[in-house]
Every structure is written in C-alpha cells, then in structure tokens.
Amino acid sequence: MSYVTGAHIEWTGSEATPGDYLALLKPRVMSLVVFTALAGLLMAPGPVNPLVGFMSLVLIAVGAGASGALNMWVDSDIDAVMTRTMNRPIPAGKISRAQALAFGLTLSVFSVALLGIVANLAAAALLAFTIFFYVVIYSMWLKRLTPQNIVIGGAAGAFPPMVGYVAASGHVSLASFVLFAIIFLWTPPHFWALALLKSEDYAKAGIPMMPNAKGADRTRLEILLYTLLLVPVAIVPWLIGAASVTYGVIAILAGALMLIAALRVYKLRQGAEADLAAKQLFAFSILYLSLLFAEFIAEHGLGLASGLL
Amino acid sequence: MDQNDSGTSAQGGIVLTPAQLRSRKARSIAIGCAVGALVIFFYALTIIKLGPHALDGGW
C-alpha cells in the first residue's frame, strides 16, 4: 500500500488478495442484482439472444459491484466504526481508498460502455444512472442526512430489474415499474428490521437510521406501513397479466406471512421477544423477495406465464 | 538482495515480503484470468454483432 509522507509517495507494498478486491464488489448484493435483473430480462417481450442476455446480466452485476466499491470508498470512515463493516477491505487496511476509487470507476466505465454495445444505449444510460444514484445521491448525500436514507437507497437497489428489462427490450413498461416498486417498498421493512437490532452500531457511526433518529416506535410503525403497501403491490404482476395465477397465490400467501411478521414487530416492543420478532422479519423478508422473484424467473424462463398457469 | 528496516534493498530498490510476493502473484493470476475472460467476451460479442454473414456483401 502507498501513503503520502511529506512531498513524496512512499511505497510499502500490498498484501491485498483478489478476494479483497472481490469483497469490494459486495458479492452478496451482486448475486441479488443478478437474480432481480434476470427477472426483468425474462419478462421483456420478444426473443433475446441467450448470449446477449447472459452478457447483459454479467455487465449489470459488474456495474452493481462497481457501485459497491465506490460506496466503500465513500463510507470507509463509518465502516471503520461499525462492527458489521469494520472488516471490509478499506477499514481493515488491505486496500487503500484511492485503489478502491480507481477500481470502482474503472469497472463503472467498463460495465456501462459495454452494456451500451452488447444491449442498447438506453440500458447503459439506466445502469449509469443507477451507479450515480447509489454512489452520489445515496452514499455521498442522503445517507448521512436523513432517516429516510434507506427508502432512497432502496430505489438504487430497485433499478436492476428495470435495467434487465430495458437491456432486452429497449424500453420500459408498466410491469418493469411494478418490479421496481416491489423492491423499493420491500427495502425499508427489510433494513429497518436489521436497524432495530443494530441501532447502537449506526448511532456510533453517526448515521441517522430511523431507530436512532426517530425512535424504535416510529420505526415499527413505518415498517408496518411499508409492508401494508408492499403486499398488495407484489400481487399486481398477476393482476396486470405479467405473471401467472401460481405467482398470484404465492404473492398472497407469502404476503400474508410478511404482514404477520411486520405486525409482530409492531406489537412486541420490549425484551428478547421484540428482538426475535425483528430477526424473524429480517429473515422472512429475504425469503419473501426470493420466493417472488424465483417464481417469476421460473415461469418466464420456462415460458409458463403465457399460459397463465 | 539484502533488505533494511524500511523495506528497501541496499541498492535502493523495493524488496517485498514473502506475503506481499504471494499476494502479488495471486493478483497477477486474477488479472490474467480477467484479461482472458475479456478476450472471450469480445470475441463472442463480435461474432454476435457481426453475425456469420458479415462478409456476404463483399468488401
């Protein structure tokens, strides 16, 4: 690693491994992005060359990874004081901020430019906007400013299915907006359930997360309100004919369980029971979104949606 | 080459520690794999975009 001493740069060598650079890309977020972008891609009308589809998915994932690296560049100061993030490559001293910035910018330019060549310019522009939104609007600006930060950050996480749809079709549609809305509305209950358990961590880092900025009770209410919005919106793909009856049934049943989990978080406010309810909501929210998109991918991938099974 | 306390050799060059050498080798292999993947990527992309009948119209 290099560091500046006086007027010259002194090189002390680096022990960073490829795994450290991979960690900068937030691989778990990348896998979720691939999953949701695939749903958008498969939902688009008309045939897509499988290789073009695969390349587009890879580039969308790389773009998401690039924004993850740039996010770690921006957030290295707060990552260093939070137990959940203190082992990330920058606070752990394995990769410098400058290296993370260079890595993130290079991958951003590559992924956007190549998506423009592989798919179309509209998809490339939307991917560029997603990276800009996550890094500049969310990470640099609003994350440290407002307790609604997760709501805004959720929009960045909700773009990949739209990028996938545009990559395959060249335009957006109502159904692609609905996929965006599902992830957008899912993000607050998911992250606030975690924030209820980790509020001290966020307070230590000076991040105005809802529980430490507005209190746990307000957080529980907002979790419930967003879940009440999320559950009906998740059924819409079936109602507008973009998904089958099977999807509709799964969305209704899983939505009911999601609502029960949110209600438990709202009602149970003290002690170990409250913590358990928040943990259960956090865990179930992952299963809920995975179920919806897995069903969506399965039926569109197998061409079952046209038969409205 | 002998290494002094500041990690430089007697000739003034940089001497990496064994751990740094190992990680540099791993990074080099990863960069090589990435470049190889890019070659395959661009080849496949060219074939897809030009298509098998790219030269049918003559020069």
Side-chain angles (χ1 to χ4, degrees), chain A residues 11-12 14-16 18 117-118, chain B residues 14 20 23 26-27 41 48-49:
Chain A
W11 173 258
T12 59
S14 169
E15 291 183 17
I117 297 168
V118 170
Chain B
I14 297 165
Q20 287 170 341
S23 62
R27 290 199 301 272
F41 189 98
I48 291 168
K49 289 292 171 186

Side-chain angles (χ1 to χ4, degrees), chain A residues 233-249 251-252 296 308:
Chain A
V233 167
I235 301 167
V236 170
W238 167 51
L239 298 178
I240 63 171
S244 68
V245 176
T246 312
Y247 172 88
V249 170
I252 290 169
F296 216 78
L308 291 183

Side-chain angles (χ1 to χ4, degrees), chain A residues 11-90:
Chain A
W11 173 258
T12 59
S14 169
E15 291 183 17
T17 62
D20 295 324
Y21 281 92
L22 186 66
L24 273 185
L25 304 180
K26 299 189 178 181
R28 279 194 296 182
V29 175
M30 279 174 85
S31 59
L32 185 66
V33 164
V34 168
F35 193 54
T36 56
L38 178 61
L41 201 94
L42 291 174
M43 197 177 68
V48 181
N49 183 312
L51 206 51
V52 169
F54 173 74
M55 287 175 165
S56 299
L57 275 183
V58 170
L59 292 170
I60 294 168
V62 171
S67 62
L70 292 172
N71 168 267
M72 287 200 202
W73 165 68
V74 174
D75 280 351
S76 60
D77 57 334
I78 54 178
D79 282 351
V81 293
M82 289 174 59
T83 50
R84 189 172 68 86
T85 53
M86 64 197 334
N87 290 325
R88 283 179 174 176
I90 298 176

